[in-house]
Amino acid sequence: MGPALSNLEALTADFYGTPNEIDVNALEGEPRELIHALLHRLADDKRTLLPARVDGETRWYGLARSELDARLLIEELASWLGPPLCDEAVLVDTPEDVVDERAVRLAGGGTPMRVRVGDGWQRQARENVQCLAAMWALTPQRSYTRPRPVGRVLRLFYEGIAARDRALAAEALDEIRVGGMLSAANIRFLRVELLGLLGSPEELQKDPLLSDIALLRRPPAVTDHLARAADALYIPPNATGSGPDTWRLIATKIDEAWPRLIAHPSQVRSVHGARCLALTELLAERPRRDVAASLRAKWGEDALVAAVVAVLDSVPETPLVEVDTADAGLIVLNHYRLGEFEAVLDAAELTELEGGIAAAVMHAALNLGDADAAARSLALIDQLPDAGRDALLSQQVASVFYEQLVERNQGKKIPAGWVDWLRDDWPDRPDLLRDWSAGWSQDDVADSAVVNGIAEELLDALHDDRRGRVRNGLPSLVHWLVAEDGLRPSSVPLAITILDIMLGSEPGRPERNASLELLDEILLTGCSPDEYSTAIAAIRDQLGRIGPREVDWLTGTMDVLLLNAVPNTQLRDEFFVEVLGVALSWYERIQQADGILLKKLFADIGLEFDPPVPDQSESPAVQEFRILERIGIYSLSESAAQNAARWIRDEWPSAEVHLSHAHVNSQELQNLVSASDVVLVQTSHAKHAATTAIERLVESRRLVRVNGRGATSLFRGLLEWVTAVG
């Protein structure tokens, strides 16, 4: 809470005393009404702005009583009073003069901030504050005691993950926890995702909230984050040449940290998980042949997995227990005893389920951990006669299994595909959607009827009460369409349609980022001139809707259009001319790094853009960058890596830049990593084997993971790293 009302008037009078040159009592008309409105907000404990004038210099002080209001006010100051109107907002941690001290007292323990108005911009700044105050007055005050919909908070969580803003993601997760929006288990799963993507393996291991995470039935994505941490913590770089005895010691350490981390090939999502499963399978009394076969087929390119599987293959096979094949129940139980959990469900679906084996079916589904297994097992349980099902669920263990399976998908069923998910009412859970869509086939997306069905439902859903849920799911739709092997040629028409709809439906930052990924894949795969025209028209429509805060999306789009072959270069060049007009309108309102990127992109197409750049000799980040001697870039996109290297050499001629496009670990890749001061890894264009080798060879502080597309993301990633270490 702020100062008491009896003190507020005194503090306000003090704030507008000498040396503050503004005489509140002498103001008339709109200026007087504006200050009174802003002071009323202060009295109501709402974020506000107050003007001051000291030695002829106009300032605006922002006052926020809560952390949330402070974050919102910082964004509003950047939008309404950003350069060139004012300098960048600063927090008044250490007052510079008596007016700063009075602003701190007015904030009443909250967050005071300040901007200084540039010469000649005083009137425009005041008019912008009037507009902001009018917007505050028209916007309903959100009741923070009423929790926001879980889907909206999850959207913020994933926005923070995508932007690598740990504070934002953690704040959203805390809101979910405090509001009781999800179960304790699901909150811990999101915590694993947060630390797995923005934290460190050590944090995942030592976080007290995750101490018994291995005892829970986990979604495969959560298990994969733990497997990546286990790989980094316990599997040394030279493990391939160590031998079975050392491998078993490593497997024991992994099992002690996270018991039964991965029990079946269906839980493996990456080479890290494959390594963990292969090693822990060595501890089994009877290694499973189907596990070894699956690891060999899917992950055999990894040297450690291949070596361990060779040892598993050499273990003599133990004869199976003979069962009466006429007894379907015994077949189910035999598969369960051997840990062949997928076979348990397959066998159970071919017979009439009985209560005696139903618990084994549910437990097998829980061990598999994925959405499809949970839905299949619940469908089997629901097929039991009413009396049999009631008798089964009256047992405590079976009842707990059943509740866990229902919670896994927030219901008993899962969507059959995208049309089903778009049309019907499903939980607004992007995390669940990723698991659901992982099992949906792309084989029928070449069918025009399927394309039209998805397009029609998507268009309708983005313009009715489904909009929030569907917007949250669009990144998952793009991820599913692109897949690990890239966009299929047969999927290009659907991708173009989704891009057009996504950008034509008032997109936010997540939708724009997803559209950039989709555009890159469309151009990599190839499209017709008509399809290209549709894509350019959709992107061009955004130019009048975006501001300087979306400059990274704009530079990324330009980069993708330059890197890839396009069927109509004239259309691309015309688009760049329009972009130049937008960039010029943002003159002096963009960051230095973005100005450099725009200048280089325009230069590559023969256009001139020369934003004001601060004196680099005064920049600590650039000074730090100048002492770097060797920079390594790993990306499977050769053109992106070469462009980024060219830009780096242009800016800092003394730096050596070395590239690698290897698909697997090699001596050349190892030499590049070990000789580099910093290594940029473009994760959107990478192979598991190579990235694993890099992660093992380089210290975390010298490794920069770049999630974006093109050369701009590599160059920006380096500049951000330089700023952080400087």
Side-chain angles (χ1 to χ4, degrees):
M1 294 294 292
L5 190 59
S6 58
N7 295 329
L8 187 58
E9 291 184 3
L11 291 174
T12 302
D14 189 34
F15 179 77
Y16 282 108
T18 306
N20 192 337
E21 299 167 7
I22 294 179
D23 185 352
V24 177
N25 296 324
L27 294 177
E28 297 179 354
E30 289 184 352
R32 178 183 179 85
E33 293 176 3
L34 175 60
I35 285 192
H36 282 186
L38 296 174
L39 287 172
H40 275 301
R41 289 186 61 83
L42 182 65
D44 292 338
D45 273 345
K46 298 176 182 178
R47 65 184 183 279
T48 191
L49 294 169
L50 290 179
R53 189 168 180 82
V54 182
D55 294 332
E57 175 192 74
T58 301
R59 308 173 183 176
W60 283 94
Y61 284 91
L63 306 172
R65 297 279 169 75
S66 69
E67 291 184 6
L68 178 59
D69 271 346
R71 181 167 63 83
L72 292 172
L73 189 53
I74 288 174
E75 294 178 355
E76 289 164 342
L77 282 172
S79 299
W80 294 89
L81 294 176
L85 276 68
C86 307
D87 61 4
E88 293 187 3
V90 296
L91 300 180
V92 187
D93 294 324
T94 304
E96 297 179 359
D97 56 28
V98 66
V99 180
D100 279 0
E101 293 175 357
R102 294 169 182 174
V104 171
R105 288 196 290 272
L106 268 179
T111 305
M113 54 198 77
R114 179 193 65 231
V115 295
R116 290 186 167 94
V117 182
D119 291 340
W121 292 102
Q122 288 85 354
R123 179 177 178 180
Q124 183 64 55
R126 186 181 71 249
E127 290 176 354
N128 281 15
V129 173
Q130 286 177 320
C131 291
L132 177 59
M135 186 187 73
W136 281 338
L138 293 172
T139 303
Q141 181 70 18
R142 176 183 296 154
S143 172
Y144 296 112
T145 58
R146 177 183 297 177
R148 293 183 287 182
V150 64
R152 189 176 302 170
V153 185
L154 280 171
R155 179 183 176 88
L156 285 178
F157 175 79
Y158 286 111
E159 281 185 14
I161 294 290
R164 303 195 66 78
D165 185 340
R166 181 166 173 173
L168 176 60
E171 183 180 341
L173 183 57
D174 192 54
E175 184 175 345
I176 291 172
R177 180 187 60 80
V178 172
M181 300 177 185
L182 296 176
S183 68
N186 277 312
I187 291 172
R188 294 163 93 184
F189 295 159
L190 290 175
R191 177 72 175 167
V192 170
E193 191 167 1
L194 172 63
L195 295 180
L197 292 171
L198 303 182
S200 66
E202 291 78 12
E203 286 181 281
L204 271 175
Q205 181 192 40
K206 297 177 180 179
D207 193 312
L209 295 176
L210 305 177
S211 59
D212 58 351
I213 193 71
L215 303 179
L216 302 177
R217 307 297 179 184
R218 306 171 302 277
V222 173
T223 298
D224 186 56
H225 286 300
L226 298 176
R228 289 172 183 270
D231 191 352
L233 292 169
Y234 300 113
I235 305 178
N238 60 351
T240 302
S242 299
D245 291 339
T246 300
W247 294 340
R248 290 188 179 92
L249 289 175
I250 295 172
T252 300
K253 292 179 180 179
I254 293 174
D255 198 55
E256 288 174 351
W258 292 294
R260 290 185 61 80
L261 176 59
I262 297 183
H264 195 272
S266 65
Q267 297 172 304
V268 176
R269 291 288 180 88
S270 69
V271 68
H272 311 279
R275 288 177 163 212
C276 292
L277 177 58
L279 290 168
T280 53
E281 194 68 13
L282 283 173
L283 302 178
E285 183 178 344
R286 177 184 175 276
R288 294 167 288 180
R289 296 296 178 187
D290 61 330
V291 170
S294 177
L295 290 172
R296 187 188 310 107
K298 296 181 179 179
W299 306 100
E301 68 177 16
D302 181 75
L304 179 60
V305 172
V308 175
V309 167
V311 173
L312 295 174
D313 288 338
S314 68
V315 177
E317 187 171 2
T318 303
L320 293 176
V321 176
E322 294 292 333
V323 299
D324 181 1
T325 56
D327 190 334
L330 285 179
I331 294 175
V332 172
L333 293 175
N334 196 53
H335 284 308
Y336 176 76
R337 184 184 66 81
L338 296 175
E340 299 169 350
F341 300 126
E342 285 186 340
V344 169
L345 296 179
D346 293 340
E349 287 173 339
L350 296 176
T351 184
E352 291 188 13
L353 195 64
E354 297 178 357
I357 60 174
V361 169
M362 290 192 291
H363 197 244
L366 287 170
N367 273 284
L368 289 171
D370 59 60
D372 184 61
R376 289 172 66 188
S377 64
L378 289 171
L380 287 168
I381 300 303
D382 285 348
Q383 290 173 11
L384 289 170
D386 292 345
R389 184 171 61 254
D390 292 344
L392 172 69
L393 299 182
S394 66
Q395 303 171 25
Q396 184 174 1
V397 173
S399 177
V400 170
F401 286 172
Y402 188 84
E403 290 174 0
Q404 290 178 348
L405 289 168
V406 172
E407 183 186 7
R408 175 65 183 79
N409 291 314
Q410 294 289 285
K412 296 182 181 181
K413 298 180 180 180
I414 63 175
W418 284 106
V419 172
D420 191 16
W421 178 79
L422 288 165
R423 179 183 297 141
D424 295 335
D425 185 20
W426 299 97
D428 188 2
R429 293 280 302 276
D431 51 333
L432 290 181
L433 180 59
R434 288 200 307 275
D435 280 348
W436 294 341
S437 59
W440 296 344
S441 172
Q442 287 194 32
D443 293 340
D444 55 354
V445 295
D447 186 341
S448 60
V450 174
V451 173
N452 292 337
I454 293 177
E456 290 173 5
E457 290 295 338
L458 179 59
L459 188 60
D460 290 343
L462 286 172
H463 292 86
D464 61 24
D465 57 3
R466 294 171 287 175
R467 175 176 171 80
R469 174 176 66 86
V470 172
R471 286 185 70 198
N472 291 345
L474 284 175
S476 296
L477 173 56
V478 172
H479 179 75
W480 170 84
L481 196 61
V482 171
E484 290 188 3
D485 297 328
L487 186 68
R488 296 182 183 182
S490 59
S491 301
V492 169
L494 177 59
I496 291 288
T497 302
I498 291 173
L499 176 71
D500 190 21
I501 294 174
M502 196 157 48
L503 290 179
S505 303
E506 299 180 16
R509 188 178 183 86
E511 291 81 35
R512 288 197 179 95
N513 289 339
S515 74
L516 180 57
E517 179 182 359
L518 203 51
L519 176 66
D520 190 19
E521 291 294 335
I522 289 169
L523 296 179
L524 281 171
T525 305
C527 61
S528 69
D530 287 344
E531 290 169 336
Y532 180 70
S533 297
T534 300
I536 288 293
I539 296 167
R540 176 180 287 167
D541 185 58
Q542 295 301 302
L543 297 182
R545 304 172 185 269
I546 60 175
R549 293 181 63 186
E550 284 75 35
V551 65
D552 56 338
W553 174 80
L554 188 60
T555 54
T557 301
M558 296 168 65
D559 195 6
V560 165
L561 291 172
L562 279 173
L563 284 176
N564 294 286
V566 299
N568 188 335
T569 56
Q570 180 180 351
L571 193 61
R572 181 196 63 189
D573 294 350
E574 292 172 354
F575 171 73
F576 268 58
V577 171
E578 291 187 41
V579 174
L580 178 60
V582 172
L584 289 173
S585 72
W586 296 345
Y587 200 74
E588 295 186 342
R589 297 178 63 192
I590 53 177
Q591 299 295 321
Q592 178 182 356
D594 295 313
I596 294 172
L597 284 171
L598 284 168
K599 181 177 181 179
K600 293 183 178 301
L601 287 164
F602 284 123
D604 283 350
I605 205 169
L607 298 174
E608 184 177 348
F609 179 75
D610 192 18
V613 178
D615 183 2
Q616 293 185 354
S617 64
E618 299 178 1
S619 169
V622 173
Q623 290 177 9
E624 177 71 18
F625 188 86
R626 286 185 182 279
I627 69 172
L628 291 176
E629 297 179 355
R630 294 169 298 274
I631 300 164
I633 299 178
Y634 172 73
S635 172
L636 292 184
S637 175
E638 295 188 26
S639 56
Q642 289 170 357
N643 264 10
R646 175 167 57 86
W647 293 347
I648 292 170
R649 294 187 186 108
D650 286 346
E651 285 295 314
W652 298 277
S654 62
E656 295 181 13
V657 186
H658 301 280
L659 313 180
S660 175
H661 317 296
H663 286 243
V664 296
N665 188 15
S666 64
Q667 188 61 47
E668 180 184 1
L669 180 63
Q670 294 178 25
N671 292 341
L672 177 145
V673 172
S674 60
S676 298
D677 297 315
V678 58
V679 181
L680 308 176
V681 178
Q682 193 163 34
T683 56
S684 56
H685 292 293
K687 276 290 185 180
H688 287 305
T691 54
T692 300
I694 293 172
E695 289 169 354
R696 290 172 173 280
L697 291 169
V698 68
E699 302 172 38
S700 59
R701 69 180 183 86
R702 296 194 298 117
L703 177 64
V704 180
R705 296 178 179 85
V706 178
N707 298 319
R709 301 276 169 147
T712 53
S713 60
L714 288 165
F715 192 75
R716 181 180 282 108
L718 178 61
L719 292 180
E720 290 176 351
W721 180 82
V722 167
T723 302
V725 300

